[in-house]
């Protein structure tokens, strides 16, 4: 069997596993988030390059072991899936490395994407966290954790410590200042930066409107 056909099988199998796994996810990390990240990452790869098989596999699997969804799970589902699939060890290691680098862990906590593949998956994941979709996902996530939409007395905090960022229970609006409005400057590639401009402006407009309504200024 040619490598291309083999890789295509791995992709389709992984896609249907992930689709199944994230079917009823209610915190904004559902299958359609994965679907969008995969498509945007592949679109970025058209311009920026990179190994498309690795990019698509990493995009499909990037949230399977996410700390936001599983807590600190001991056994990596991703690793187990890749072992069962039987893909090349070198490919498996590349995919796991990318996934380890993708996740946002707080405004002051560095995590650098090294390879072009990691940069593109991280950019695609971050683009899906901003703009109209980012806004929708933020409130879906907050709702799933029982958080308030907004509290005028609770100010945003810049977390430089992953543990504190993880434990915070702040209202959803704070998340714009703690993460979403920072993402535009954390993107790796020029193509992603371009895509982020309109999405970023849309969030700023949303916040302006939100406070105006809150203060009865509309
Ligand atoms: Ni994600």
């Amino acid at each position: 069997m040619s490598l291309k056909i083999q890789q295509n099988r791995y992709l389709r199998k992984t896609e249907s596993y992930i689709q199944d796994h994230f079917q009823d996810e209610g915190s904004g990390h559902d299958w359609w988030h994965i679907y969008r990240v995969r498509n945007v990452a592949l679109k970025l790869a058209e311009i920026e390059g990179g190994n498309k098989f690795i990019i698509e596999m990493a995009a499909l699997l990037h949230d399977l072991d996410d700390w936001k969804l599983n807590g600190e799970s001991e056994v990596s589902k991703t690793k187990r899936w890749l072992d069962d699939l039987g893909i090349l060890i070198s490919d498996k290691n590349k995919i796991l490395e990318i996934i380890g680098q993708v996740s946002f862990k707080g405004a002051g906590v560095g995590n650098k994407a090294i390879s072009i593949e990691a940069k593109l998956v991280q950019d695609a994941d971050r683009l899906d966290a901003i703009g109209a979709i980012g806004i929708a996902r933020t409130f879906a996530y907050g709702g799933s954790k029982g958080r308030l939409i907004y509290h005028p007395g609770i100010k945003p905090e810049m977390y430089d410590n992953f543990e504190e960022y993880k434990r915070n229970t702040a209202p959803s609006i704070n998340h714009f200042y703690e993460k979403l409005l920072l993402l535009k400057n954390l993107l790796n590639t020029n193509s992603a930066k371009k895509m982020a401009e309109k999405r970023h402006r849309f969030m700023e407009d949303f916040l302006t409107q939100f406070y105006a309504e809150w203060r009865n200024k509309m």
Side-chain angles (χ1 to χ4, degrees), residues 18 22 29-39 59-64 128:
I18 290 297
F22 287 93
H29 296 82
D30 55 283
W31 157 246
W32 296 107
H33 160 65
I34 314 283
Y35 172 92
R36 290 186 303 266
V37 169
R38 186 262 311 264
N39 291 356
L60 285 170
L61 292 164
H62 85 275
D63 274 337
L64 190 56
D128 206 59

Side-chain angles (χ1 to χ4, degrees), residues 197-213:
E197 280 168 23
K198 205 168 170 188
R199 296 176 191 222
H200 185 86
R201 269 201 309 277
F202 190 83
M203 291 194 297
E204 291 178 328
D205 293 345
F206 169 79
L207 289 168
T208 305
Q209 173 82 11
F210 184 93
Y211 296 126
E213 292 179 19

Side-chain angles (χ1 to χ4, degrees), residues 28-29 33-34 37 59 62-63 66 68-69 102-103 121 124-126 128 137 179:
H29 296 82
H33 160 65
I34 314 283
V37 169
H62 85 275
D63 274 337
D66 194 286
K68 291 189 290 299
L69 310 175
V102 163
S103 161
V121 177
D125 196 34
R126 290 182 169 177
D128 206 59
R137 292 182 65 222
K179 175 179 172 185

Side-chain angles (χ1 to χ4, degrees), residues 6-197:
Q6 185 65 268
Q7 288 185 337
N8 217 34
R9 278 197 187 170
Y10 293 147
L11 286 168
R12 301 296 67 89
K13 265 191 166 174
T14 303
E15 182 178 40
S16 92
Y17 167 59
I18 290 297
Q19 199 166 354
D20 234 47
H21 190 85
F22 287 93
Q23 199 74 280
D24 300 316
E25 214 286 325
S27 79
H29 296 82
D30 55 283
W31 157 246
W32 296 107
H33 160 65
I34 314 283
Y35 172 92
R36 290 186 303 266
V37 169
R38 186 262 311 264
N39 291 356
V40 169
L42 288 175
K43 188 178 160 191
L44 291 171
E46 300 279 338
I47 312 156
E48 305 283 343
N51 179 326
K52 285 193 175 176
F53 171 67
I54 298 292
I55 291 171
E56 187 167 359
M57 284 296 287
L60 285 170
L61 292 164
H62 85 275
D63 274 337
L64 190 56
D65 284 315
D66 194 286
W67 60 269
K68 291 189 290 299
L69 310 175
N70 298 314
E72 234 46 39
S73 83
E74 291 278 306
V75 196
S76 159
K77 288 197 198 91
T78 317
K79 195 172 169 301
R80 205 179 331 144
W81 174 255
L82 292 172
D83 283 337
D84 290 350
L85 213 53
I87 75 171
L88 289 175
I89 292 177
S90 56
D91 284 350
K92 179 180 89 174
N93 290 339
K94 272 185 220 154
I95 293 163
L96 290 173
E97 186 187 272
I98 293 171
I99 294 168
Q101 292 167 356
V102 163
S103 161
F104 181 93
K105 299 190 178 78
V109 186
N111 59 331
K112 263 246 90 7
I114 311 292
S115 64
I116 181 66
E117 289 83 5
K119 285 178 177 165
L120 298 189
V121 177
Q122 189 178 62
D123 278 358
D125 196 34
R126 290 182 169 177
L127 283 168
D128 206 59
I130 63 174
I133 287 176
I135 294 171
R137 292 182 65 222
T138 298
F139 293 106
Y141 183 72
S144 79
K145 297 279 176 195
R147 295 185 185 182
L148 286 177
I149 292 173
Y150 175 54
H151 189 305
I154 305 176
K155 299 291 167 230
E157 266 187 68
M158 294 301 123
Y159 298 94
D160 52 12
N161 172 311
F162 179 45
E163 289 307 312
E164 281 175 31
Y165 177 70
K166 200 164 59 170
R167 272 200 307 271
N168 95 84
T169 56
S172 293
I173 286 282
N174 293 26
H175 194 59
F176 285 85
Y177 304 95
E178 290 160 3
K179 175 179 172 185
L180 308 188
L181 293 169
L182 312 175
L183 288 180
K184 144 175 109 68
N185 294 327
L186 294 173
L187 294 167
N188 302 296
T189 62
N190 285 333
S191 317
K193 282 177 192 159
K194 236 189 187 146
M195 286 172 74
E197 280 168 23

